[in-house]
Coordinates of all heavy atoms in Angstrom, one line a residue:
M1 N 22.0 -11.4 2.4 CA 22.1 -10.0 2.5 C 21.4 -9.4 1.2 O 21.7 -9.9 0.1 CB 23.5 -9.5 2.6 CG 23.6 -8.0 2.8 SD 25.4 -7.7 3.2 CE 25.3 -5.9 3.2
R2 N 20.5 -8.5 1.3 CA 19.8 -8.0 0.2 C 20.5 -6.9 -0.5 O 21.2 -6.2 0.2 CB 18.3 -7.6 0.5 CG 18.2 -6.5 1.5 CD 16.7 -6.4 1.9 NE 16.6 -5.4 3.0 CZ 16.0 -4.2 2.9 NH1 15.6 -3.8 1.7 NH2 15.9 -3.4 3.9
P3 N 20.3 -6.7 -1.8 CA 21.0 -5.6 -2.5 C 20.6 -4.2 -1.9 O 19.5 -4.1 -1.4 CB 20.5 -5.7 -3.9 CG 19.8 -7.0 -4.0 CD 19.5 -7.5 -2.7
K4 N 21.5 -3.3 -2.0 CA 21.3 -2.0 -1.4 C 20.1 -1.3 -1.9 O 19.4 -0.5 -1.2 CB 22.6 -1.1 -1.6 CG 23.0 -0.4 -0.4 CD 24.2 0.4 -0.6 CE 24.5 1.0 0.8 NZ 25.8 1.7 0.9
S5 N 19.8 -1.5 -3.2 CA 18.7 -0.8 -3.8 C 17.4 -1.5 -3.6 O 16.3 -1.0 -4.1 CB 18.9 -0.7 -5.3 OG 19.0 -2.0 -5.9
S6 N 17.3 -2.6 -2.8 CA 16.1 -3.3 -2.6 C 15.2 -2.6 -1.6 O 15.7 -1.8 -0.8 CB 16.3 -4.7 -2.3 OG 16.9 -4.8 -1.0
I7 N 13.9 -2.9 -1.7 CA 12.9 -2.2 -0.9 C 12.2 -3.3 -0.1 O 11.8 -4.3 -0.6 CB 11.9 -1.5 -1.8 CG1 12.6 -0.3 -2.4 CG2 10.7 -1.0 -1.0 CD1 11.8 0.3 -3.5
S8 N 12.1 -3.1 1.2 CA 11.4 -4.1 2.1 C 10.1 -3.5 2.6 O 10.1 -2.4 3.1 CB 12.3 -4.5 3.2 OG 11.6 -5.3 4.2
I9 N 9.0 -4.2 2.4 CA 7.7 -3.8 2.9 C 7.1 -4.9 3.8 O 7.1 -6.0 3.4 CB 6.7 -3.5 1.7 CG1 7.4 -2.4 0.8 CG2 5.4 -3.0 2.2 CD1 6.6 -2.2 -0.5
T10 N 6.5 -4.5 4.9 CA 5.9 -5.5 5.8 C 4.4 -5.2 5.7 O 3.9 -4.1 5.9 CB 6.4 -5.3 7.2 OG1 7.8 -5.4 7.3 CG2 5.7 -6.3 8.2
F11 N 3.7 -6.3 5.6 CA 2.2 -6.3 5.5 C 1.6 -6.9 6.8 O 1.8 -8.1 7.0 CB 1.7 -7.0 4.3 CG 2.0 -6.3 3.0 CD1 3.2 -6.6 2.3 CD2 1.1 -5.4 2.4 CE1 3.5 -6.0 1.1 CE2 1.4 -4.8 1.2 CZ 2.6 -5.1 0.5
L12 N 0.9 -6.1 7.6 CA 0.2 -6.6 8.8 C -1.2 -7.0 8.3 O -1.7 -6.5 7.3 CB 0.1 -5.5 9.8 CG 1.5 -4.9 10.3 CD1 1.2 -3.7 11.2 CD2 2.4 -5.9 10.9
P13 N -1.9 -7.9 8.9 CA -1.6 -8.5 10.3 C -0.7 -9.7 10.3 O -0.3 -10.1 11.4 CB -3.0 -8.8 10.8 CG -3.7 -9.2 9.5 CD -3.2 -8.3 8.4
K14 N -0.3 -10.2 9.2 CA 0.4 -11.5 9.2 C 2.0 -11.3 9.2 O 2.7 -12.3 9.1 CB 0.0 -12.3 8.0 CG -1.4 -12.8 8.1 CD -1.8 -13.6 6.9 CE -3.3 -14.0 6.9 NZ -3.7 -14.5 5.6
N15 N 2.4 -10.1 9.2 CA 3.9 -9.8 9.2 C 4.5 -10.4 8.0 O 5.6 -10.9 8.0 CB 4.6 -10.3 10.4 CG 4.3 -9.4 11.6 OD1 4.2 -8.2 11.5 ND2 4.1 -10.0 12.8
E16 N 3.8 -10.3 6.8 CA 4.4 -10.8 5.6 C 5.4 -9.8 5.0 O 5.0 -8.6 4.8 CB 3.3 -11.1 4.6 CG 2.4 -12.3 5.0 CD 1.2 -12.4 4.2 OE1 0.3 -11.6 4.3 OE2 1.1 -13.3 3.3
I17 N 6.6 -10.2 4.8 CA 7.6 -9.2 4.3 C 7.9 -9.5 2.9 O 8.2 -10.6 2.5 CB 8.9 -9.3 5.2 CG1 8.6 -9.0 6.6 CG2 10.0 -8.4 4.6 CD1 9.7 -9.3 7.6
V18 N 7.9 -8.5 2.1 CA 8.2 -8.6 0.7 C 9.4 -7.7 0.4 O 9.4 -6.5 0.8 CB 7.0 -8.1 -0.2 CG1 7.3 -8.1 -1.7 CG2 5.8 -9.0 0.1
V19 N 10.3 -8.2 -0.3 CA 11.5 -7.4 -0.7 C 11.5 -7.4 -2.2 O 11.4 -8.4 -2.9 CB 12.8 -8.1 -0.2 CG1 14.0 -7.2 -0.7 CG2 12.8 -8.1 1.3
V20 N 11.5 -6.2 -2.8 CA 11.6 -6.0 -4.2 C 12.9 -5.2 -4.6 O 13.3 -4.4 -3.8 CB 10.4 -5.3 -4.8 CG1 9.2 -6.2 -4.7 CG2 10.1 -4.0 -4.1
S21 N 13.4 -5.4 -5.7 CA 14.6 -4.7 -6.1 C 14.4 -3.7 -7.2 O 15.3 -3.0 -7.5 CB 15.7 -5.7 -6.5 OG 15.3 -6.5 -7.6
Q22 N 13.2 -3.7 -7.8 CA 13.0 -2.7 -8.8 C 11.9 -1.7 -8.4 O 11.0 -2.1 -7.7 CB 12.7 -3.3 -10.1 CG 11.2 -3.5 -10.5 CD 10.8 -4.9 -10.4 OE1 11.5 -5.8 -9.8 NE2 9.7 -5.3 -10.9
E23 N 12.1 -0.5 -8.8 CA 11.0 0.5 -8.5 C 10.1 0.7 -9.7 O 10.4 0.0 -10.7 CB 11.7 1.9 -8.2 CG 12.5 1.8 -6.9 CD 13.2 3.1 -6.5 OE1 12.5 4.1 -6.6 OE2 14.4 3.0 -6.2
G24 N 9.2 1.6 -9.7 CA 8.3 1.8 -10.9 C 7.1 0.9 -10.9 O 6.4 0.9 -11.9
V25 N 6.9 0.1 -9.8 CA 5.7 -0.7 -9.7 C 4.9 -0.2 -8.5 O 5.5 0.4 -7.6 CB 5.9 -2.2 -9.6 CG1 6.4 -2.8 -10.9 CG2 6.9 -2.5 -8.4
N26 N 3.6 -0.4 -8.5 CA 2.9 0.1 -7.3 C 2.8 -1.0 -6.2 O 3.1 -2.2 -6.5 CB 1.5 0.7 -7.6 CG 0.6 -0.4 -8.1 OD1 0.4 -1.4 -7.5 ND2 0.0 -0.1 -9.3
I27 N 2.5 -0.6 -5.0 CA 2.5 -1.5 -3.9 C 1.4 -2.6 -4.1 O 1.6 -3.8 -3.7 CB 2.3 -0.8 -2.6 CG1 3.5 0.1 -2.3 CG2 2.0 -1.7 -1.4 CD1 3.4 1.1 -1.2
L28 N 0.3 -2.3 -4.7 CA -0.7 -3.4 -5.0 C -0.1 -4.5 -5.8 O -0.2 -5.6 -5.5 CB -1.9 -2.8 -5.6 CG -3.0 -3.8 -6.1 CD1 -3.6 -4.5 -4.9 CD2 -4.1 -3.1 -6.9
D29 N 0.6 -4.1 -6.9 CA 1.2 -5.1 -7.8 C 2.2 -5.9 -7.0 O 2.3 -7.1 -7.2 CB 1.9 -4.4 -9.0 CG 0.9 -3.7 -9.9 OD1 -0.2 -4.1 -10.0 OD2 1.4 -2.8 -10.6
I30 N 3.0 -5.3 -6.2 CA 4.0 -6.0 -5.4 C 3.4 -7.0 -4.5 O 3.8 -8.2 -4.4 CB 4.9 -5.0 -4.6 CG1 5.7 -4.2 -5.6 CG2 5.7 -5.7 -3.6 CD1 6.4 -3.0 -4.9
A31 N 2.3 -6.6 -3.8 CA 1.7 -7.5 -2.9 C 1.0 -8.7 -3.6 O 1.2 -9.8 -3.2 CB 0.6 -6.7 -2.1
L32 N 0.3 -8.4 -4.7 CA -0.3 -9.5 -5.4 C 0.7 -10.5 -6.0 O 0.5 -11.7 -5.9 CB -1.2 -8.9 -6.5 CG -2.4 -8.1 -6.0 CD1 -3.2 -7.5 -7.2 CD2 -3.3 -8.9 -5.2
K33 N 1.8 -9.9 -6.5 CA 2.8 -10.8 -7.1 C 3.4 -11.7 -6.0 O 3.8 -12.8 -6.3 CB 3.9 -9.9 -7.7 CG 4.8 -10.7 -8.6 CD 5.8 -9.8 -9.4 CE 6.8 -10.6 -10.1 NZ 7.8 -9.9 -10.7
A34 N 3.4 -11.2 -4.8 CA 4.0 -12.0 -3.6 C 3.0 -12.9 -3.0 O 3.2 -13.6 -2.1 CB 4.5 -11.0 -2.6
G35 N 1.8 -12.9 -3.6 CA 0.7 -13.8 -3.1 C 0.0 -13.3 -1.8 O -0.7 -14.0 -1.1
I36 N 0.1 -12.0 -1.6 CA -0.6 -11.4 -0.4 C -1.9 -10.9 -0.9 O -2.0 -10.2 -1.9 CB 0.2 -10.2 0.2 CG1 1.5 -10.8 0.7 CG2 -0.6 -9.5 1.2 CD1 2.5 -9.7 1.2
E37 N -3.0 -11.3 -0.2 CA -4.3 -11.0 -0.7 C -4.7 -9.5 -0.3 O -4.8 -9.2 0.8 CB -5.3 -11.9 0.1 CG -6.3 -12.6 -0.8 CD -7.2 -13.5 -0.1 OE1 -6.7 -14.6 0.3 OE2 -8.3 -13.1 0.2
V38 N -4.8 -8.7 -1.4 CA -5.2 -7.3 -1.2 C -6.4 -7.2 -2.1 O -6.3 -7.4 -3.3 CB -4.1 -6.3 -1.6 CG1 -4.6 -4.9 -1.4 CG2 -2.8 -6.6 -0.7
S39 N -7.5 -6.7 -1.5 CA -8.7 -6.5 -2.3 C -8.4 -5.4 -3.4 O -7.7 -4.5 -3.1 CB -9.9 -6.1 -1.5 OG -10.2 -7.0 -0.5
N40 N -8.9 -5.6 -4.6 CA -8.7 -4.7 -5.6 C -9.8 -4.7 -6.7 O -9.6 -5.1 -7.8 CB -7.3 -4.9 -6.3 CG -7.1 -6.2 -6.9 OD1 -7.2 -6.4 -8.1 ND2 -7.0 -7.3 -6.1
S41 N -11.0 -4.4 -6.2 CA -12.2 -4.6 -7.1 C -12.1 -3.8 -8.4 O -12.6 -4.3 -9.4 CB -13.4 -4.1 -6.4 OG -13.6 -4.8 -5.2
C42 N -11.4 -2.7 -8.5 CA -11.3 -2.0 -9.7 C -10.0 -2.3 -10.5 O -9.7 -1.7 -11.5 CB -11.4 -0.5 -9.5 SG -9.9 0.2 -8.7
G43 N -9.3 -3.2 -10.0 CA -8.1 -3.7 -10.7 C -6.9 -2.6 -10.7 O -6.1 -2.6 -11.6
G44 N -7.0 -1.8 -9.7 CA -5.9 -0.8 -9.5 C -6.1 0.5 -10.2 O -5.1 1.3 -10.4
N45 N -7.3 0.8 -10.5 CA -7.6 2.1 -11.2 C -7.9 3.2 -10.3 O -8.1 4.3 -10.7 CB -8.8 1.9 -12.2 CG -8.4 1.0 -13.4 OD1 -7.3 1.1 -13.9 ND2 -9.3 0.1 -13.7
G46 N -7.9 2.9 -9.0 CA -8.1 4.0 -8.0 C -9.6 4.5 -7.9 O -9.8 5.6 -7.5
T47 N -10.5 3.6 -8.2 CA -11.9 4.0 -8.2 C -12.7 3.2 -7.1 O -13.9 3.6 -6.9 CB -12.6 3.8 -9.5 OG1 -12.4 2.4 -9.9 CG2 -12.0 4.7 -10.6
C48 N -12.2 2.1 -6.5 CA -13.0 1.3 -5.6 C -12.7 1.5 -4.1 O -13.6 1.4 -3.3 CB -12.9 -0.2 -6.0 SG -11.3 -0.9 -5.6
G49 N -11.5 1.8 -3.8 CA -11.1 2.0 -2.4 C -10.8 0.7 -1.7 O -10.5 0.8 -0.5
T50 N -11.0 -0.4 -2.3 CA -10.8 -1.7 -1.6 C -9.3 -2.0 -1.3 O -9.0 -2.9 -0.5 CB -11.4 -2.9 -2.3 OG1 -10.8 -3.0 -3.6 CG2 -12.9 -2.7 -2.4
C51 N -8.4 -1.3 -1.9 CA -7.0 -1.6 -1.6 C -6.4 -0.7 -0.5 O -5.2 -0.5 -0.4 CB -6.2 -1.4 -2.9 SG -6.0 0.3 -3.4
L52 N -7.3 -0.1 0.2 CA -6.9 0.8 1.3 C -6.0 0.1 2.3 O -6.2 -1.0 2.7 CB -8.2 1.3 2.1 CG -7.9 2.4 3.1 CD1 -7.7 3.7 2.5 CD2 -9.1 2.4 4.1
V53 N -4.9 0.8 2.6 CA -4.0 0.3 3.7 C -3.8 1.4 4.7 O -3.9 2.6 4.4 CB -2.6 -0.1 3.1 CG1 -2.7 -1.3 2.2 CG2 -2.0 1.1 2.3
R54 N -3.4 1.0 5.9 CA -3.1 2.0 6.9 C -1.5 1.9 7.1 O -1.0 0.8 7.3 CB -3.7 1.6 8.3 CG -5.2 1.8 8.2 CD -5.9 2.0 9.6 NE -7.3 2.0 9.4 CZ -8.1 1.0 9.5 NH1 -7.7 -0.2 10.0 NH2 -9.4 1.1 9.3
V55 N -0.9 3.0 7.0 CA 0.5 3.1 7.1 C 0.9 3.2 8.5 O 0.6 4.2 9.2 CB 1.1 4.3 6.3 CG1 2.6 4.3 6.3 CG2 0.6 4.2 4.8
H56 N 1.7 2.2 9.0 CA 2.1 2.2 10.4 C 3.5 2.8 10.6 O 3.9 3.4 11.6 CB 2.1 0.8 11.0 CG 0.7 0.4 11.4 ND1 0.1 0.5 12.6 CD2 -0.3 -0.1 10.6 CE1 -1.1 0.1 12.6 NE2 -1.4 -0.3 11.4
Q57 N 4.4 2.6 9.5 CA 5.7 3.1 9.6 C 6.2 3.5 8.2 O 5.7 2.8 7.2 CB 6.7 2.0 10.1 CG 6.7 1.8 11.6 CD 7.7 0.7 12.0 OE1 8.7 0.5 11.4 NE2 7.3 0.0 13.0
G58 N 7.0 4.5 8.1 CA 7.6 4.9 6.8 C 6.7 5.9 6.0 O 7.1 6.3 4.9
G59 N 5.6 6.3 6.6 CA 4.7 7.2 5.8 C 5.4 8.5 5.5 O 5.0 9.1 4.5
Q60 N 6.4 8.9 6.3 CA 7.0 10.2 6.0 C 7.8 10.1 4.7 O 8.1 11.2 4.1 CB 7.9 10.6 7.2 CG 9.2 9.8 7.4 CD 9.0 8.4 8.1 OE1 7.9 8.0 8.4 NE2 10.1 7.8 8.4
N61 N 8.1 9.0 4.2 CA 8.9 8.8 3.0 C 8.0 8.6 1.7 O 8.5 8.6 0.6 CB 9.8 7.6 3.1 CG 10.8 7.8 4.2 OD1 11.3 8.9 4.4 ND2 11.2 6.8 4.9
L62 N 6.7 8.5 2.0 CA 5.8 8.3 0.8 C 5.5 9.7 0.1 O 5.5 10.7 0.8 CB 4.4 7.8 1.3 CG 4.4 6.3 1.7 CD1 3.1 5.9 2.4 CD2 4.7 5.4 0.5
P63 N 5.3 9.6 -1.2 CA 4.9 10.8 -1.9 C 3.5 11.3 -1.5 O 2.7 10.5 -0.9 CB 4.9 10.4 -3.3 CG 4.7 8.9 -3.3 CD 5.3 8.4 -2.0
P64 N 3.2 12.6 -1.7 CA 1.8 13.0 -1.4 C 0.8 12.3 -2.3 O 1.2 11.7 -3.3 CB 1.9 14.5 -1.7 CG 3.2 14.8 -2.3 CD 4.1 13.6 -2.2
R65 N -0.4 12.4 -1.9 CA -1.5 11.7 -2.7 C -1.5 12.3 -4.1 O -1.3 13.5 -4.3 CB -2.8 12.0 -2.1 CG -3.0 11.4 -0.7 CD -4.5 11.7 -0.2 NE -4.6 11.6 1.2 CZ -4.7 10.5 1.9 NH1 -4.7 9.3 1.2 NH2 -4.8 10.5 3.2
N66 N -1.7 11.4 -5.1 CA -1.8 11.9 -6.5 C -3.3 12.4 -6.6 O -4.1 12.3 -5.7 CB -1.4 10.9 -7.5 CG -2.3 9.6 -7.5 OD1 -3.4 9.7 -7.0 ND2 -1.8 8.5 -8.0
E67 N -3.6 12.9 -7.8 CA -5.0 13.4 -8.0 C -6.1 12.4 -7.8 O -7.1 12.7 -7.1 CB -5.1 14.0 -9.4 CG -6.1 15.1 -9.6 CD -6.0 15.7 -11.0 OE1 -4.9 16.1 -11.4 OE2 -7.0 15.6 -11.7
I68 N -5.9 11.2 -8.3 CA -6.9 10.1 -8.1 C -7.1 9.8 -6.6 O -8.2 9.7 -6.2 CB -6.4 8.8 -8.9 CG1 -6.4 9.1 -10.4 CG2 -7.2 7.6 -8.5 CD1 -5.7 8.0 -11.2
E69 N -6.0 9.6 -5.9 CA -6.1 9.3 -4.5 C -6.7 10.4 -3.7 O -7.5 10.2 -2.8 CB -4.7 8.9 -4.0 CG -4.8 8.3 -2.6 CD -3.4 7.9 -2.0 OE1 -2.4 8.4 -2.5 OE2 -3.4 7.2 -1.0
M70 N -6.3 11.6 -4.0 CA -6.8 12.8 -3.3 C -8.3 12.9 -3.4 O -9.0 13.2 -2.4 CB -6.1 14.1 -3.9 CG -6.5 15.3 -3.2 SD -6.0 15.3 -1.4 CE -4.3 15.8 -1.5
E71 N -8.8 12.7 -4.6 CA -10.2 12.8 -4.8 C -11.0 11.8 -3.9 O -11.9 12.2 -3.3 CB -10.5 12.5 -6.3 CG -12.0 12.8 -6.7 CD -12.2 12.6 -8.2 OE1 -11.3 13.0 -9.0 OE2 -13.2 12.1 -8.5
M72 N -10.5 10.6 -3.9 CA -11.2 9.6 -3.0 C -11.0 9.9 -1.6 O -11.9 9.7 -0.7 CB -10.7 8.2 -3.4 CG -11.5 7.1 -2.6 SD -11.1 5.4 -3.0 CE -11.6 5.3 -4.7
A73 N -9.8 10.3 -1.2 CA -9.5 10.6 0.2 C -10.5 11.7 0.7 O -11.0 11.6 1.9 CB -8.1 11.0 0.4
L74 N -10.7 12.7 -0.1 CA -11.6 13.8 0.3 C -13.0 13.3 0.4 O -13.8 13.6 1.3 CB -11.5 15.0 -0.7 CG -10.1 15.7 -0.6 CD1 -10.1 16.8 -1.7 CD2 -9.9 16.4 0.7
E75 N -13.4 12.5 -0.6 CA -14.8 12.0 -0.7 C -15.1 11.1 0.5 O -16.2 11.2 1.0 CB -14.9 11.3 -2.0 CG -16.3 10.9 -2.4 CD -16.3 10.1 -3.7 OE1 -15.9 10.7 -4.7 OE2 -16.6 8.9 -3.7
R76 N -14.2 10.3 0.8 CA -14.4 9.2 1.9 C -13.8 9.6 3.2 O -13.9 8.8 4.2 CB -13.9 7.9 1.4 CG -14.6 7.4 0.1 CD -14.3 6.0 -0.2 NE -14.9 5.7 -1.5 CZ -14.9 4.5 -2.1 NH1 -14.3 3.5 -1.4 NH2 -15.4 4.2 -3.2
G77 N -13.2 10.7 3.3 CA -12.7 11.1 4.6 C -11.5 10.3 5.2 O -11.5 10.0 6.3
F78 N -10.6 9.9 4.3 CA -9.4 9.1 4.7 C -8.6 9.9 5.8 O -8.5 11.1 5.6 CB -8.5 8.8 3.6 CG -9.0 7.8 2.6 CD1 -8.2 7.6 1.4 CD2 -10.2 7.1 2.7 CE1 -8.7 6.7 0.5 CE2 -10.6 6.2 1.8 CZ -9.9 6.0 0.7
S79 N -8.1 9.2 6.7 CA -7.1 9.9 7.6 C -5.8 10.0 6.9 O -5.6 9.3 5.9 CB -7.0 9.1 9.0 OG -6.5 7.9 8.7
P80 N -4.9 10.8 7.4 CA -3.6 11.0 6.7 C -2.8 9.7 6.5 O -2.1 9.5 5.5 CB -2.8 11.9 7.6 CG -3.9 12.7 8.4 CD -5.0 11.7 8.6
N81 N -3.0 8.7 7.4 CA -2.2 7.4 7.3 C -3.0 6.4 6.5 O -2.5 5.2 6.4 CB -1.8 6.9 8.6 CG -3.0 6.3 9.4 OD1 -4.1 6.8 9.2 ND2 -2.7 5.4 10.3
E82 N -4.1 6.7 5.9 CA -4.8 5.8 5.1 C -4.5 6.1 3.6 O -4.8 7.2 3.1 CB -6.3 5.8 5.3 CG -6.7 5.3 6.7 CD -8.2 5.3 7.1 OE1 -8.8 6.3 6.7 OE2 -8.6 4.4 7.7
R83 N -4.0 5.1 2.9 CA -3.6 5.3 1.5 C -4.1 4.2 0.6 O -4.4 3.1 1.1 CB -2.1 5.4 1.4 CG -1.4 6.4 2.3 CD -1.6 7.8 1.9 NE -1.2 8.1 0.6 CZ -0.1 8.7 0.2 NH1 0.8 9.1 1.1 NH2 0.2 9.0 -1.1
L84 N -4.2 4.5 -0.7 CA -4.6 3.5 -1.6 C -3.3 2.9 -2.2 O -2.5 3.5 -2.8 CB -5.3 4.1 -2.8 CG -6.7 4.7 -2.5 CD1 -7.3 5.4 -3.8 CD2 -7.7 3.7 -1.9
C85 N -3.1 1.6 -1.9 CA -1.8 1.0 -2.3 C -1.7 0.9 -3.8 O -0.6 0.7 -4.3 CB -1.5 -0.3 -1.6 SG -2.5 -1.7 -2.0
C86 N -2.8 0.9 -4.6 CA -2.6 0.9 -6.0 C -2.1 2.2 -6.6 O -1.7 2.2 -7.8 CB -4.0 0.5 -6.7 SG -5.2 1.8 -6.7
Q87 N -2.1 3.2 -5.8 CA -1.6 4.5 -6.3 C -0.2 4.9 -5.7 O 0.2 6.0 -5.9 CB -2.6 5.6 -5.9 CG -4.0 5.4 -6.5 CD -4.0 5.4 -8.0 OE1 -3.4 6.3 -8.7 NE2 -4.6 4.3 -8.6
L88 N 0.4 3.9 -5.0 CA 1.6 4.2 -4.3 C 2.8 3.5 -4.8 O 2.8 2.3 -4.9 CB 1.5 3.8 -2.8 CG 0.7 4.8 -1.9 CD1 0.6 4.2 -0.5 CD2 1.3 6.1 -1.8
E89 N 3.9 4.2 -5.1 CA 5.1 3.5 -5.4 C 5.8 3.1 -4.1 O 5.6 3.8 -3.1 CB 6.0 4.5 -6.1 CG 5.6 4.7 -7.6 CD 6.6 5.5 -8.4 OE1 7.8 5.6 -8.0 OE2 6.2 6.0 -9.4
P90 N 6.5 2.0 -4.1 CA 7.0 1.5 -2.8 C 8.2 2.4 -2.3 O 9.0 2.9 -3.1 CB 7.5 0.1 -3.2 CG 7.8 0.2 -4.6 CD 6.8 1.2 -5.2
V91 N 8.3 2.5 -1.0 CA 9.5 3.0 -0.4 C 10.0 2.1 0.7 O 9.2 1.3 1.2 CB 9.3 4.5 0.2 CG1 9.0 5.5 -0.9 CG2 8.3 4.4 1.3
D92 N 11.3 2.1 0.9 CA 11.8 1.1 1.9 C 11.3 1.3 3.3 O 11.2 2.5 3.7 CB 13.4 1.2 1.8 CG 14.0 0.0 2.6 OD1 13.5 -1.1 2.5 OD2 15.0 0.2 3.2
G93 N 11.1 0.2 4.0 CA 10.8 0.3 5.4 C 9.3 0.5 5.7 O 9.0 0.8 6.9
L94 N 8.5 0.4 4.8 CA 7.0 0.6 5.0 C 6.5 -0.6 5.8 O 6.8 -1.7 5.6 CB 6.2 0.6 3.7 CG 6.2 1.9 2.9 CD1 5.4 1.7 1.6 CD2 5.7 3.1 3.7
V95 N 5.6 -0.2 6.8 CA 4.8 -1.2 7.5 C 3.4 -0.9 7.3 O 2.9 0.2 7.7 CB 5.1 -1.3 9.0 CG1 4.2 -2.3 9.7 CG2 6.6 -1.6 9.2
L96 N 2.6 -1.7 6.6 CA 1.3 -1.4 6.1 C 0.3 -2.4 6.7 O 0.6 -3.6 6.7 CB 1.2 -1.5 4.6 CG 2.2 -0.7 3.8 CD1 2.0 -1.0 2.3 CD2 1.9 0.8 4.0
E97 N -0.8 -1.9 7.2 CA -1.9 -2.8 7.7 C -2.9 -3.0 6.6 O -3.3 -2.0 6.0 CB -2.5 -2.2 9.0 CG -3.7 -3.0 9.5 CD -4.4 -2.2 10.6 OE1 -4.0 -1.1 10.9 OE2 -5.4 -2.7 11.1
L98 N -3.3 -4.2 6.4 CA -4.4 -4.4 5.4 C -5.7 -4.5 6.2 O -6.1 -5.6 6.7 CB -4.1 -5.8 4.7 CG -2.8 -5.8 3.9 CD1 -2.5 -7.2 3.4 CD2 -2.9 -4.8 2.7
P99 N -6.5 -3.5 6.3 CA -7.6 -3.5 7.2 C -8.7 -4.5 6.8 O -9.4 -5.1 7.6 CB -8.2 -2.1 7.1 CG -7.5 -1.4 6.0 CD -6.2 -2.2 5.7
F100 N -8.8 -4.7 5.4 CA -9.9 -5.6 5.0 C -9.4 -7.1 5.3 O -10.2 -8.0 5.5 CB -10.2 -5.5 3.5 CG -10.9 -4.1 3.3 CD1 -10.2 -3.1 2.6 CD2 -12.2 -4.0 3.7 CE1 -10.9 -1.9 2.4 CE2 -12.8 -2.8 3.5 CZ -12.2 -1.7 2.9
E101 N -8.1 -7.3 5.4 CA -7.6 -8.6 5.8 C -8.0 -8.9 7.2 O -8.3 -10.1 7.6 CB -6.1 -8.6 5.6 CG -5.4 -9.9 5.9 CD -5.6 -11.0 4.9 OE1 -6.1 -10.7 3.8 OE2 -5.4 -12.2 5.2
M102 N -8.1 -7.9 8.0 CA -8.4 -8.0 9.5 C -9.8 -8.5 9.6 O -10.2 -9.1 10.7 CB -8.2 -6.7 10.2 CG -6.9 -6.0 10.0 SD -5.6 -6.7 11.0 CE -6.0 -6.1 12.6
L103 N -10.7 -8.3 8.7 CA -12.1 -8.6 8.8 C -12.4 -10.1 8.5 O -13.5 -10.5 8.8 CB -12.9 -7.7 7.8 CG -12.8 -6.2 8.1 CD1 -13.6 -5.5 7.0 CD2 -13.4 -5.8 9.4
K104 N -11.4 -10.8 8.0 CA -11.7 -12.2 7.6 C -11.7 -13.1 8.8 O -11.0 -12.8 9.8 CB -10.6 -12.7 6.6 CG -10.8 -12.0 5.3 CD -9.7 -12.5 4.3 CE -9.8 -11.7 3.0 NZ -8.7 -12.0 2.1
Ligands
FES201 S1 -7.6 -1.3 -6.4 FE1 -9.4 0.0 -6.5 S2 -8.8 1.8 -5.5 FE2 -7.0 0.6 -5.5

């Protein structure tokens, strides 16, 4: 049984589930630490767009885009469920698709 304060995130397409117990880290960091391959050409600075994820569940609990993410979303025409995981703090119950993983 996981602690009450822990956060569970599922990464599609492989249904990899990561549970973390601390907040204050972004989803890219969590995925990489768990060994999940997420492209991150800019190292999490919000300038490359390669860490794009599609949010399948839990998006209603995510914070609005920050300034960095908003700029890229407008420039590249992201749909509302497309987010940069390097700019997102985790929330419990997220189901995220890694679109670049699907291309392999
Ligand atoms: S890692 Fe480059 S935008 Fe997220």
Side-chain angles (χ1 to χ4, degrees):
M1 190 171 171
R2 63 189 172 107
K4 228 178 179 170
S5 61
S6 67
I7 293 168
S8 172
I9 303 172
T10 302
F11 292 88
L12 304 174
K14 295 179 181 166
N15 285 322
E16 294 169 284
I17 298 172
V18 176
V19 178
V20 289
S21 57
Q22 91 254 16
E23 295 180 45
V25 289
N26 66 50
I27 293 173
L28 175 64
D29 292 336
I30 290 168
L32 294 177
K33 194 173 174 189
I36 296 172
E37 229 178 284
V38 179
S39 300
N40 60 103
S41 300
C42 71
N45 291 317
T47 57
C48 69
T50 59
C51 70
L52 185 76
V53 292
R54 292 198 185 100
V55 181
H56 284 262
Q57 280 178 36
Q60 72 279 7
N61 298 323
L62 285 171
R65 299 183 199 279
N66 64 20
E67 205 173 304
I68 293 169
E69 188 184 15
M70 181 62 82
E71 191 177 318
M72 187 177 294
L74 291 173
E75 188 183 295
R76 299 190 185 186
F78 290 175
S79 66
N81 72 332
E82 292 180 320
R83 304 291 304 261
L84 294 178
C85 68
C86 72
Q87 301 299 310
L88 282 178
E89 286 188 18
V91 296
D92 191 38
L94 281 177
V95 177
L96 305 173
E97 175 190 0
L98 300 169
F100 291 109
E101 182 73 15
M102 307 281 283
L103 299 175
K104 292 181 183 171

